[in-house]
Amino acid sequence: MPACSKVRGPVRPHHTPFLAMSFETDIPPDLESLCRLDPYLKPHEHEIKRRYGCLQKLLRGIEADQGGLDSFTSGYKYFGLNKTPDGGIVCRQWAPAAKAVYLRGEFNEWRSGEHAFRNIGYGKWELSLPPKDDGSCPIAHNSIVKLQIQSQSGDLLERICPWTSYAVQCQDTMLFDSVWWDPPQPYQFKHPAPKIAGGLMIYEAHVGIASWKGEISSYDNFTDNVLPRIQKQGYNAVQLMAVMEHAYYASFGYQVTSFYAAASRCGNPDGLKRLVDEAHQRGLVVFLDVVHSHAAKNVLDGLNQFDGSNSCFFHDGHRGEHMLWDSRLFNYTSWEVLRFLLSNLRWWVEEYHFDGFRFDGVTSMIYHHHGIGTGFSGGYHEYFGLSTDTDGLTYLTLANHMLHSFYPDIITIAELLKEQKDEDWNVSDIVWTLINRRHGEKAVAYAESHDQALVGDKTLAFWLMDKEMYTNMSKLTPLTMVIDRGLALHKMIRLITHALGGEAWLNFIGNEFGHPEWLDFPRPGNNNSFHYARRQWNTVDDPNLRYQHLNNFDRAMNELQQKKQWLKSPQAYISCKHEGDKLIVFERAGLVFIFNFHFTKSFTDYRIGTNVPGEYKILLDSDAEEFGGHCRLDHKTQYFTSPSPWHDRQHSLQVYIPSRVALVLGLVYDTPSP
């Protein structure tokens, strides 16, 4: 189960006082209340206290020895290349195994050994460059700079600055180079982050694939052409993948080489800033898919062996290698690694105004086995057992605490998908999967994320309709049984996940209209083709294709949620789970949700329970014409409750429920939802 953290509404300027927890005790606050809420935690009380103590010890160390949390997590202002008030540059690096460090680049015509750093202790090196005689910066904007590290063996190694804010690929060597980004007119943000009144509806996207063309798309294209679609669909949040610079495009952004640099394939830093700024103007908050679980093995344009040793940012030996991902694993016990990663979070918030984060690879971070060859039963004994990596878990806890301290609001993610024929679906299993979370713990639910879109897997639409998506999605051809079933279930699965699964909703780019193909980046295995690394907007824009029906339903779900705000409401009350009838009924936010998953059977005057008496009407009907349905329901019909208790509810009403249909009923004379 993937996990995510999210922050909304950054506070700027960031001179917020450190919201420190008490250092007088290592007992977690409200532990007794937590155990009352979830008694299954009681046997693990000692381990919870131990882990909380690890966090407290780390926080005490930051306060006592590292200048406090604010200073400690603002490392980008100290390390890397930074301008001085007089127009010069000071460059600082952490390279504990280096014998010497040098800077060279276009600014000194690539002369080696001319600009040497001085050792300032604790593995840190410093170089100051005065301004030019005219007072201008000694390094020109958009020019390339490189570090040279002299190893203990005397070798002179060329490296990229770990703190670089911009890196571009050299077409001759295909390696990424550090670029000094210092535009004469820095981008000025115009729009504050919006306040999200209702529940989060998140549109997960990859900028590079966001065009129909067979190319790497740009930040500008996303800003001008995709953000309007997202806004129109009723989403209020965008989650961007593959923003942190990665040398290998086909890694989907998960083999990061430069953690502070925005992916240059899609444009320069100002292009990304304009994207975030325009999203804010459109009422969208923007989250970053952040990778702090591992780093690419790249040496010449990554962090690996930066100072000539096999450690530096990573564990040495077996602990520093991820066998499955072929990548390096961070040493979360190192002060400088913690500074680098925590400051990285602050950087994306302060510099680019991102509103939150989804942390990737959490399982790998918190378990020594990294999830490799291990199955999870869901029992607490696994999470509180000896396989848990305390160092990785403490880092995540510290990161969340730091984000809470400076920017409010954190949530997590859960998922659902069953690869079974709908005839074999167990409605109780569907419900249990969607509601199986600790009471009061917020979750983001999704029917499919980017994982299901990748080659080797199938999107929800492809699981349901497969090859007929290529031949029978035209409205000019007869509706086949496969397409009819697929369209119906695609809508039903998405609505039940949206309404029952959590306090937020997530969709991956293109899945809102059942994108006809999977996602595969150009690589040798597909002859470096861009055919699958794109989104075919033409399919949803063509009025003769049925993709528009799925898109219409997606928008209608979001619009109804915005109006009724079930994502902000308490968890649903499930009144009916009928296995034989394949029927699920629940109430949330004053609405009655009805799902008939039966593949052939419709029901006349089916009695359902409700606690709210009155006159009901249809607010959403997956069988409506604009959603590609069969129009079997009359939307002028009004449903009156009777005082007859049913399914443990005080009142009931009778409804016609066609097969493979989802309905949402609401009161004719509505009152504000709780």
Side-chain angles (χ1 to χ4, degrees), residues 570-626:
Q571 249 179 278
Y573 181 89
I574 301 154
S575 60
C576 177
K577 297 178 293 183
H578 197 292
E579 199 58 55
D581 293 342
K582 300 294 182 186
L583 208 77
I584 299 171
V585 180
F586 59 87
E587 296 164 79
R588 191 176 186 186
L591 304 175
V592 179
F593 294 82
I594 306 169
F595 296 83
N596 180 6
F597 282 99
H598 205 285
F599 51 100
T600 58
K601 191 183 294 185
S602 299
F603 302 98
T604 303
D605 295 333
Y606 200 97
R607 186 173 292 276
I608 62 173
T610 176
N611 256 9
V612 182
E615 182 181 345
Y616 283 79
K617 63 180 178 180
I618 296 173
L619 299 181
L620 185 61
D621 169 17
S622 68
D623 200 43
E625 181 179 9
E626 63 266 34

Side-chain angles (χ1 to χ4, degrees), residues 461 465 468-488 490-491 510-516 536-554 622 624-630:
M465 294 176 277
E468 286 205 21
M469 296 189 75
Y470 292 117
T471 57
N472 298 315
M473 285 295 278
S474 172
K475 295 196 294 185
L476 304 178
T477 61
L479 181 65
T480 67
M481 292 180 62
V482 170
I483 297 298
D484 187 28
R485 166 188 176 269
L487 293 177
H490 194 277
K491 292 176 286 187
N511 291 350
E512 69 272 17
F513 60 88
H515 195 274
Q536 299 179 53
W537 303 110
N538 57 294
T539 58
V540 71
D541 293 339
D542 189 336
N544 292 318
L545 296 180
R546 295 187 168 99
Y547 295 99
Q548 64 175 295
H549 299 316
L550 298 178
N551 197 64
N552 291 343
F553 189 75
D554 182 82
S622 68
E625 181 179 9
E626 63 266 34
F627 308 140
H630 299 285

Side-chain angles (χ1 to χ4, degrees), residues 166-187:
Y166 190 37
V168 297
Q169 192 171 33
C170 174
Q171 295 306 306
D172 294 332
T173 65
M174 302 309 292
L175 294 172
F176 277 76
D177 293 324
S178 298
V179 174
W180 170 242
W181 184 257
D182 181 33
Q185 295 180 326
Y187 185 88

